[in-house]
Amino acid sequence: AVGADVTDRSSVADLFDRVVAGFGGLDIVVINAGVNLDRQSVEDSDPEAWETTITVNLLGAYYCAQVAIPYLKERGGGKIITIGSGLGHRGSPGSSAYACSKAGLWMLALQRYMEKHFRSLEIQMPMACSARWRAFRWERRALSAWVCS
């Protein structure tokens, strides 16, 4: 295993450099780091815990995707699988930071798809979530690998 601090872009870049050097390339990335450090109402929330939740869950995912994409392009494409949450679509009392971070993660996955679609990149970025939602597909099967259980 190769570890990194997803909140530090240089640590993420070093991670991917080591993986590519050690394994000869990159074909798939699973973005799974996540925390829920503030379980209070927005009014009673701890701004530092709120910020850390957003940093780990959303900026960490962005750093991983942003650094991984050039390596995936070198190999002709690949997959970046992001682990989301149904709370990113519906929220829940006491989960404002977590829900907002997962909503942003969902949009990051959609944005990457649109960039792939319109610029013909062979990189797929589906998202898996653990909510009790039915599997669905976007218009024209944009996120056909979206998995919800």
Side-chain angles (χ1 to χ4, degrees):
V2 181
D5 176 359
V6 298
T7 67
D8 177 5
R9 190 186 180 287
S10 63
S11 178
V12 171
D14 182 58
L15 162 79
F16 285 104
D17 288 343
R18 289 183 289 142
V19 165
V20 169
F23 296 99
L26 185 66
D27 297 304
I28 187 168
V29 176
V30 177
I31 298 174
N32 190 39
V35 296
N36 187 2
L37 301 178
D38 187 35
R39 297 176 188 266
Q40 303 299 316
S41 68
V42 172
E43 179 182 12
D44 297 328
S45 64
D46 172 9
E48 187 173 305
W50 215 94
E51 184 176 338
T52 301
T53 299
I54 296 293
T55 301
V56 171
N57 296 0
L58 183 55
L59 286 178
Y62 163 74
Y63 295 152
C64 289
Q66 197 258 346
V67 171
I69 288 169
Y71 291 114
L72 295 171
K73 288 171 74 174
E74 284 178 11
R75 309 250 312 167
K79 291 195 186 298
I80 300 174
I81 299 171
T82 56
I83 306 302
S85 171
L87 289 179
H89 298 278
R90 68 186 186 306
S92 179
S95 68
S96 64
Y98 184 80
C100 288
S101 71
K102 293 301 182 172
L105 185 61
W106 181 83
M107 188 53 65
L108 178 64
L110 179 60
Q111 184 64 32
R112 288 300 320 144
Y113 168 77
M114 290 188 307
E115 290 175 8
K116 171 207 169 267
H117 178 73
F118 293 113
R119 293 176 38 200
S120 300
L121 297 177
E122 294 299 322
I123 298 171
Q124 299 176 9
M125 194 165 167
M127 177 184 286
C129 67
S130 60
R132 295 179 183 238
W133 294 41
R134 292 183 181 178
F136 66 90
R137 293 185 177 161
W138 277 99
E139 184 178 335
R140 291 182 273 165
R141 298 180 184 200
L143 292 177
S144 60
W146 180 282
V147 179
C148 296
S149 58

